Amino acid sequence: MTMIAFLLLLIAISPTVDADVFKCIASSGKITYQGKPCSSDAQQENIPIEPTDPRQLAEAERRLAIWQMERDKQKAEKLETERMQRKEQQRFEAVEALKRSAEAQRQQAIAELRQAEALENQYRMQAYPLYYLPYQSRPPYRNRYRDNNKPPRRPIHDSKSTWMTNSPRR
């Protein structure tokens, strides 16, 4: 819309040209306008060009100047808006970069702390043994009834038998 208005304004402002405009009607009925005379087979009409009024020309120039000022103002506002958006985007990116940097430093501090703890624990004695003995509910059979303070009893062997007995000999 603005482009059409601009073109019409340019046409109105354009200097008056002392030239003829010819309307050519071909035998097929097609109408064309041109600055040179028509060919011999086409019908030709000469269209007079009226000179422009100086008041109309001054009014058109004034409207063109107003339109150009408004357009320049809109361009300046658009450029200012884009500049502010870029500045805001850069500020946002800087904040995001600082956040990423802080998170990386925090992760690095955690890793260094873990490494320091691992070095401390490397030489520390463990409070529990590294192995466990199998569970025994009672001592072995031969030591079950023995008192640890007394010497062990000696069994009496019969020369005739291999059984251990406490009975007298026969």
Side-chain angles (χ1 to χ4, degrees):
M1 176 73 178
T2 58
M3 187 57 108
I4 294 171
F6 181 69
L7 290 175
L8 289 175
L9 192 61
L10 284 178
I11 290 172
I13 295 175
S14 64
T16 308
V17 178
D18 193 20
D20 293 328
V21 176
F22 299 97
K23 179 179 180 181
C24 301
I25 302 172
S27 59
S28 63
K30 182 178 177 185
I31 300 174
T32 58
Y33 296 92
Q34 56 190 28
K36 55 185 178 181
C38 302
S39 61
S40 60
D41 62 340
Q43 185 181 7
Q44 176 177 327
E45 288 182 29
N46 194 0
I47 300 178
I49 299 176
E50 298 176 11
T52 55
D53 186 20
R55 287 180 290 162
Q56 288 178 345
L57 184 60
E59 178 64 24
E61 288 176 355
R62 185 184 66 78
R63 284 186 294 185
L64 178 62
I66 291 171
W67 179 80
Q68 285 176 341
M69 286 180 6
E70 289 176 358
R71 182 153 169 96
D72 291 342
K73 183 179 176 183
Q74 289 175 351
K75 282 184 179 180
E77 289 174 356
K78 184 178 178 182
L79 289 174
E80 181 65 22
T81 303
E82 289 175 355
R83 186 183 66 78
M84 293 299 286
Q85 287 176 347
R86 280 194 306 269
K87 188 175 182 181
E88 186 66 28
Q89 181 67 23
Q90 289 172 349
R91 187 173 29 219
F92 176 75
E93 289 173 356
V95 168
E96 287 299 315
L98 288 174
K99 284 181 182 179
R100 286 191 302 269
S101 175
E103 181 63 24
Q105 288 176 355
R106 187 180 74 82
Q107 293 292 337
Q108 185 178 7
I110 289 172
E112 289 174 357
L113 181 64
R114 286 182 182 160
Q115 185 178 10
E117 287 176 355
L119 285 173
E120 284 181 15
N121 291 337
Q122 182 178 5
Y123 298 110
R124 185 180 293 170
M125 294 291 288
Q126 295 186 1
Y128 53 88
L130 297 176
Y131 59 90
Y132 294 98
L133 295 175
Y135 177 74
Q136 294 180 353
S137 63
R138 55 189 171 89
Y141 176 73
R142 66 184 147 179
N143 295 332
R144 183 183 301 175
Y145 300 107
R146 188 175 93 183
D147 186 9
N148 288 337
N149 295 334
K150 297 180 182 177
R153 289 184 302 161
R154 300 186 119 200
I156 301 172
H157 291 283
D158 186 10
S159 58
K160 297 181 183 173
S161 117
T162 58
W163 292 93
M164 296 182 338
T165 60
N166 288 334
S167 61
R169 290 187 182 178
R170 297 185 191 203

